[in-house]
Amino acid sequence: MSEKTMDKPPEKAVVKHAGEKTTGGALQRLVPQNFGELERLAMILCKSDIVPKDLQGKAANVLLVLMYGNEIGITPAQALQNVMVVNGRPSLWGDITMGLCIASEVYEDSKDEFNEQTMTATFKAKRRGKDWVVRSFSQKDAEKAKLWTKQGPWQEHPKRMLFHRARSWALRDTFPDVLKGIRYFEEERDFVE
């Protein structure tokens, strides 16, 4: 490096990212701008123990998770924590699904209910200018689907599992354009044999 280069003040970083415009200054979010940058980022991230264990050492899988995250408008860091692969298919983990819908311009409202007598979770979602979409999932539905006695979360948190199933159906049916066909992790893992 020459002395002239060292004397120059550093240039301000311009970072482009989903949904926001920046003019420079402090880094707000780091989002790769092309495939080469994405590939390099995946190579670095797969060596980290901060990524989920099933992605460690698998740069191609990290790359695909980052690509799916980009498709739905989330940053690489959000994708690593919220896009999970089940049976070779990407799915969204936890509350990111709800967050994406709420952040969407087409979201208007949502409500949930739980009936203790029938052990039924109901979730209602409303898209701007449309009618409410209502989906329910009950203990009887879970029994019919052979989920009620399944070891793991169904035994530990049955009400929460009923809620997740009702919510996933309502959100996917109301906001397919927002979720881009990526399914709900809590639902997908139930199909693992």
Side-chain angles (χ1 to χ4, degrees), residues 11 35 44 63 69 73 93 105-106 116 121-122 126 130 132-133 147 151 163 166 171-172 179-180 190:
E11 292 181 23
F35 187 79
I44 293 166
L63 180 70
W93 163 264
E105 294 176 359
V106 297
E116 294 280 345
T122 300
K126 188 164 186 346
K130 302 288 185 182
W132 284 93
V133 173
L147 298 171
Q151 291 301 311
F163 166 77
L171 293 178
R172 283 190 294 128
L179 300 176
K180 309 235 189 286
D190 288 336

Side-chain angles (χ1 to χ4, degrees), residues 3-154:
E3 285 182 41
K4 288 181 182 178
T5 305
M6 290 174 61
D7 292 337
K8 284 184 175 181
E11 292 181 23
K12 288 185 176 181
V14 177
V15 179
K16 296 178 185 174
H17 44 83
E20 294 181 30
K21 295 178 182 176
T22 60
T23 57
L27 291 175
Q28 293 177 13
R29 286 198 237 169
L30 178 62
V31 177
Q33 298 301 302
N34 57 51
F35 187 79
E37 289 178 12
L38 189 64
E39 187 177 38
R40 281 192 296 280
L41 183 60
M43 291 295 290
I44 293 166
L45 291 172
C46 80
K47 296 174 186 171
S48 170
D49 60 3
I50 196 171
V51 301
K53 289 185 189 254
D54 60 331
L55 294 176
Q56 292 175 8
K58 299 176 182 174
N61 289 5
V62 170
L63 180 70
L64 289 169
V65 163
L66 297 179
M67 288 172 63
Y68 279 111
N70 184 60
E71 284 292 316
I72 58 173
I74 61 176
T75 65
Q78 290 172 322
L80 286 171
Q81 297 305 311
N82 293 290
V83 177
M84 303 294 163
V85 179
V86 181
N87 292 333
R89 295 179 62 180
S91 59
L92 296 175
W93 163 264
D95 293 325
I96 190 75
T97 308
M98 189 72 218
L100 287 168
C101 293
I102 290 172
S104 167
E105 294 176 359
V106 297
Y107 175 87
E108 185 171 316
D109 200 4
S110 61
K111 299 176 183 178
D112 63 87
E113 301 169 1
F114 193 85
N115 183 318
E116 294 280 345
Q117 290 180 332
T118 62
M119 288 295 286
T120 302
T122 300
F123 194 89
K124 303 173 184 179
K126 188 164 186 346
R127 188 179 178 100
R128 288 194 194 283
K130 302 288 185 182
D131 291 332
W132 284 93
V133 173
V134 180
R135 300 293 180 262
S136 297
F137 201 79
S138 67
Q139 178 178 343
K140 286 183 182 180
D141 294 325
E143 288 169 353
K144 188 174 183 180
K146 297 184 173 99
L147 298 171
W148 196 250
T149 57
K150 188 171 184 170
Q151 291 301 311
W154 278 98

